[in-house]
C-alpha cells in the first residue's frame, strides 16, 4: 500500500456525471427513479437505464421515456444476471462521463444531489465523494438517516485508514466516483446473484485508498417497502441463505482489505459486523424456526472463530457480548435475553449472575462470558432494564415503570426522576411529555433493589392515530442520565386492545404491544371507521 497521501486530482475538463439506474420487473417505480436523475439538471450528462431482462414492461416504459429525452439511454441485458452487481458493471463499462453514480429503480435522487457531490469532488480533487442517505419507510414516509455520524459536517479524508468508520457505510449509491479511478483500479461489483454486492464493492474502493470528500447534504433517498409482495434481496432475511450471503460478503470484504494491507479498516469491518449485523439478526432469532436458529448459531460461531481478541475488544459492548455468548455456547440459548441485549438501546434482563470471584458474568454456567465492563462503564452507556406496563383507561392511561438494579451501579448513581416521551413513529415528533419520580420498591435499593415510577398519559388528546414509541431519560443523583426504552412486560391481560374515549375522535382503540426488540410501544385506531377497520382485520385473521 502506498502510504503517501493521494494528491488532489485536477478537475476534468468536462465534469459531468453518468447516473446508472438498474432495475428488474419494477415498472411501478423505475420511471420515477429515472426522472429524479434527469431532474438533476445539466450536470447529468447521461442516464444509463440498465434493464435486467424484465418481463413486466419496464423496458418498454424506459424506451418510451427515452424517445423524448436524449440524455437517457436504455441498455437491455439479454440474460438476467440474478443480482445488482452485473448491471452496475455494465454501467461502469459504458459510462462516457468523468464521474459515475448508481441509483436503484425503486429509489430516487433528491433535488440538488448531483450538484452538491460534483462541487465537493471538484473542490477537493476527490476520487470518491459521499453524502447522506436517508431510509424512507413506505407507506409511512418516516425517514431515518443512514450513518449520519459520518456526514455530520464536511470533511476531506486523504487516507481512508485514518477514518476507519468509513467501512460502516457499505452503500454504493450515496457516492460519486471518478470513472477513471474505478477503471484504473478494476473496482467492480461481484457478478451474478450476489446479495450483498455493496459490501465487496465498498471494500475494493477503500482498498484502493482513494482521496475522499464527505458532505452533509442529502444525496440519496432509499425507499424501504417492508410490506411489498416481494422484498428486496437484502431485506428478505427470513431464510438462512440470506445470512450465509452476508457472511460470505463480509468475509470477502475483510480479505480484500487485508490483502491491501488495510489492517485498521479490516478490524473496523469486523467490529462493525459485531455491532450491526450480529445485533440485527440476533434481535430476530425468536421469530425464526428452531432449525433456522440452530443453523444461524452454528454458522455465526464458525465465522466468529476467525476473529481475534482485539476485534472483540474494539466492538461496542452489546455486540461483543452477543458474539462471545455465541462462541461460548454450542447451541442457541437465552434468546429472550439476547434479543434485549441486541436492542438499541441495549437492555440486560435479570437475573444478574456473578462468577465465584464476584465478577459479573452472563450466567453461572457461562462464566467465560464476562460482563466486567459493566462495573466501569459510565451510566449513560449501561444496559439498564426498565420494565414497562401501559394500561389504557378512560380517565388517564397509566404507565408504570420498574427500574432494575445492575450489579450495584444503579444504587450507586441514585435514581431520581424519569422523563417520558410519547413519540410518533412516522414523524419522529413528541406527542406528549411527562415526568415522574422513582421510589425504592424493596429494602434500601441495594444490590437486589428496584425502583418504581408512574406517569399518566392522556390518550384522548392524541391527534392522528398510528404507532407511538415510548422513550425514557433516567436522571440520577450523581448528575448522570441514561436514555432507554421500556421493556414490555408480557403478563396476561396487559398487551390487549382497549377502547377509550377521545375528545377528538369520540373513541380511540389503544393497544400496548411489544416490538421485535422487546420494547413497549402503542398502536391507536381512531373513530368508528378505525374501530371497524380493526375488527375487520381481526376477523380476517380468524377465518384465514
Amino acid at each position: 500500500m502506498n502510504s503517501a497521501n493521494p494528491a488532489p486530482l485536477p478537475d476534468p475538463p468536462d465534469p459531468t456525471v453518468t447516473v446508472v439506474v438498474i432495475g428488474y420487473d419494477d415498472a411501478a417505480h423505475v420511471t420515477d427513479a429515472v426522472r429524479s436523475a434527469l431532474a438533476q439538471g445539466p450536470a447529468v450528462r447521461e442516464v444509463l437505464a440498465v434493464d435486467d431482462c424484465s418481463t413486466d414492461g419496464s423496458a418498454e416504459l424506459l424506451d418510451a421515456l427515452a424517445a423524448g429525452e436524449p440524455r437517457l439511454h436504455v441498455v437491455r441485458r439479454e440474460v438476467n444476471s440474478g443480482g445488482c452487481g452485473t448491471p452496475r458493471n455494465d454501467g461502469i463499462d459504458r459510462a462516457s462521463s468523468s464521474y459515475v453514480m448508481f441509483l436503484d429503480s425503486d429509489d430516487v435522487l433528491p433535488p440538488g444531489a448531483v450538484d452538491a457531490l460534483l462541487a465537493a469532488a471538484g473542490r477537493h480533487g476527490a476520487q470518491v465523494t459521499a453524502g447522506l442517505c436517508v431510509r424512507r419507510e413506505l407507506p409511512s414516509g418516516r425517514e431515518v438517516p443512514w450513518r449520519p455520524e459520518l456526514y455530520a459536517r464536511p470533511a476531506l479524508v486523504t487516507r481512508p485508514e485514518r477514518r476507519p468508520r468509513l467501512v460502516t457505510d457499505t452503500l454504493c449509491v450515496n457516492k460519486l466516483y471518478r470513472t477513471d479511478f474505478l477503471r484504473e483500479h478494476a473496482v467492480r461489483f461481484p457478478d451474478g446473484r450476489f446479495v450483498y454486492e455493496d459490501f465487496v464493492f465498498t471494500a475494493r474502493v477503500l482498498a484502493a485508498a482513494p482521496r475522499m470528500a464527505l458532505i452533509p447534504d442529502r444525496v440519496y433517498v432509499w425507499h424501504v417497502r417492508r410490506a411489498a409482495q416481494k422484498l428486496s434481496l437484502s431485506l428478505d432475511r427470513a431464510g438462512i441463505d440470506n445470512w450465509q450471503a452476508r457472511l460470505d460478503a463480509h468475509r470477502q470484504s475483510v480479505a480484500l482489505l487485508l490483502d491491501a494491507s488495510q489492517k485498521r479498516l479490516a478490524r473496523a469491518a469486523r467490529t462493525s459486523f459485531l455491532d450491526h449485523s450480529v445485533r440485527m439478526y440476533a434481535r430476530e432469532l425468536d421469530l425464526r424456526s428452531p432449525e433456522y436458529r440452530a443453523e444461524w448459531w452454528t454458522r455465526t460461531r464458525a465465522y466468529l472463530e476467525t476473529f481475534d481478541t482485539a476485534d472483540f475488544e474494539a466492538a461496542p459492548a452489546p455486540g461483543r457480548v452477543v458474539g462471545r455468548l455465541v462462541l461460548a455456547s454450542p447451541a442457541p440459548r437465552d434468546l429472550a435475553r439476547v434479543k434485549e441485549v441486541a436492542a438499541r438501546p441495549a437492555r440486560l434482563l435479570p437475573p444478574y449472575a456473578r462468577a465465584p470471584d464476584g465478577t459479573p458474568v452472563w450466567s453461572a454456567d457461562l462464566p467465560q462470558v464476562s460482563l466486567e465492563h459493566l462495573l466501569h462503564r459510565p451510566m449513560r452507556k449501561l444496559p439498564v432494564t426498565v420494565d414497562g406496563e401501559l394500561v389504557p383507561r378512560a380517565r388517564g392511561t397509566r404507565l408504570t415503570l420498574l427500574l432494575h438494579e445492575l450489579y450495584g451501579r444503579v444504587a450507586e448513581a441514585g435514581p431520581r426522576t424519569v422523563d417520558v416521551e410519547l413519540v410518533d413513529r412516522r414523524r419522529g415528533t413528541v406527542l406528549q411529555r411527562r415526568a415522574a419520580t422513582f421510589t425504592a420498591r424493596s429494602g434500601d435499593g441495594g444490590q437486589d433493589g428496584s425502583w418504581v415510577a408512574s406517569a399518566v398519559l392522556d390518550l384522548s388528546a392524541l391527534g392522528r392515530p398510528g404507532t407511538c414509541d415510548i422513550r425514557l431519560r433516567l436522571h440520577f443523583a450523581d448528575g448522570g442520565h441514561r436514555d432507554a426504552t421500556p421493556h414490555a412486560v408480557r403478563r396476561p391481560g396487559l398487551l390487549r386492545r382497549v377502547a377509550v374515549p377521545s375528545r377528538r375522535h369520540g373513541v380511540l382503540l389503544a393497544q400496548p404491544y411489544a416490538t421485535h426488540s422487546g420494547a413497549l410501544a402503542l398502536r391507536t385506531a381512531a373513530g368508528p371507521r378505525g374501530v371497524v377497520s380493526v375488527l375487520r382485520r381481526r376477523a380476517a385473521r380468524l377465518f384465514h
Side-chain angles (χ1 to χ4, degrees), residues 127-149:
Q127 294 157 310
V128 179
T129 306
L132 182 66
C133 168
V134 295
R135 291 165 53 103
R136 180 180 292 163
E137 299 274 351
L138 296 175
S140 72
R142 176 179 179 242
E143 292 189 350
V144 179
W146 170 259
R147 302 298 182 190
E149 67 281 359

Side-chain angles (χ1 to χ4, degrees), residues 271-334:
T271 60
S272 175
F273 180 80
L274 288 165
D275 184 50
H276 180 66
S277 297
V278 169
R279 288 178 74 175
M280 177 169 59
Y281 283 73
R283 287 195 296 269
E284 300 173 348
L285 282 178
D286 66 340
L287 303 175
R288 310 302 183 207
S289 68
E291 294 77 17
Y292 175 99
R293 297 172 192 167
E295 276 295 314
W296 185 92
W297 202 272
T298 298
R299 298 183 190 198
T300 305
R301 197 164 184 246
Y303 184 47
L304 293 183
E305 286 174 347
T306 68
F307 288 32
D308 59 33
T309 301
D311 295 329
F312 279 90
E313 289 300 325
R320 181 171 74 241
V321 169
V322 174
R324 285 177 169 165
L325 174 64
V326 171
L327 283 177
S329 174
R333 57 172 287 168
D334 305 334

Side-chain angles (χ1 to χ4, degrees), residues 401-406 410-411 415 438-442 444-446 449-453:
L401 303 172
L402 178 67
L403 169 62
H404 291 274
E405 180 55 274
L406 187 65
V410 177
F438 280 115
T439 58
R441 192 181 76 156
S442 61
D444 59 359
S450 57
W451 294 262
V452 178

Side-chain angles (χ1 to χ4, degrees), residues 10-277:
D11 215 19
D14 181 23
T16 56
V17 177
T18 293
V19 180
V20 178
V21 183
I22 64 166
Y24 169 69
D25 278 359
D26 198 15
H29 308 116
V30 67
T31 54
D32 288 339
V34 169
R35 284 176 176 144
S36 77
L38 294 169
Q40 299 295 311
V44 174
R45 177 179 179 177
E46 64 178 353
V47 176
L48 295 179
V50 185
D51 181 77
D52 203 6
C53 285
S54 295
T55 60
D56 67 344
S58 295
E60 289 73 19
L61 284 174
L62 292 170
D63 286 338
L65 192 58
E69 176 50 72
R71 291 183 297 159
L72 174 59
H73 308 289
V74 181
V75 179
R76 292 199 187 199
R77 287 189 50 78
E78 295 181 357
V79 178
N80 179 262
S81 69
C84 299
T86 301
R88 290 193 187 128
N89 289 335
D90 291 342
I92 295 172
D93 293 339
R94 293 171 181 258
S96 61
S97 305
S98 47
Y99 295 91
V100 64
M101 65 183 303
F102 305 103
L103 172 62
D104 290 350
S105 62
D106 53 351
D107 301 330
V108 294
L109 298 179
V114 168
D115 283 342
L117 288 166
L118 199 57
R123 186 164 58 250
H124 297 292
Q127 294 157 310
V128 179
T129 306
L132 182 66
C133 168
V134 295
R135 291 165 53 103
R136 180 180 292 163
E137 299 274 351
L138 296 175
S140 72
R142 176 179 179 242
E143 292 189 350
V144 179
W146 170 259
R147 302 298 182 190
E149 67 281 359
L150 287 175
Y151 304 105
R153 59 186 62 85
L156 173 64
V157 182
T158 56
R159 290 168 57 187
E161 65 176 7
R162 292 177 173 171
R163 190 164 297 195
R165 289 182 65 86
L166 287 170
V167 300
T168 65
D169 183 5
T170 53
L171 300 182
C172 72
V173 288
N174 60 328
K175 300 175 180 69
L176 182 73
Y177 305 90
R178 281 283 295 245
T179 309
D180 55 5
F181 165 77
L182 296 182
R183 290 172 178 169
E184 176 187 352
H185 295 278
V187 177
R188 294 173 64 87
F189 293 89
D191 281 308
R193 184 177 176 83
F194 197 102
V195 177
Y196 293 100
E197 76 291 335
D198 279 19
F199 287 23
V200 176
F201 181 83
T202 298
R204 287 174 175 161
V205 168
L206 295 176
R211 182 182 178 90
M212 297 184 65
L214 311 180
I215 62 175
D217 307 64
R218 287 163 47 117
V219 301
Y220 197 87
V221 179
W222 174 6
H223 286 151
V224 180
R225 297 177 171 89
R226 300 186 191 277
Q229 289 186 346
K230 183 179 180 181
L231 292 174
S232 67
L233 294 176
S234 59
L235 285 179
D236 188 5
R237 298 196 294 268
I240 195 63
D241 287 348
N242 177 279
W243 180 240
Q244 185 62 54
R246 198 175 189 99
L247 292 175
D248 293 341
H250 192 268
R251 183 183 288 108
Q252 187 172 337
S253 300
V254 170
L256 285 164
L257 294 170
L258 289 175
D259 288 344
S261 298
Q262 298 279 11
K263 295 180 179 180
R264 290 186 67 190
L265 294 178
R267 172 147 293 151
R270 284 173 168 160
T271 60
S272 175
F273 180 80
L274 288 165
D275 184 50
H276 180 66
S277 297

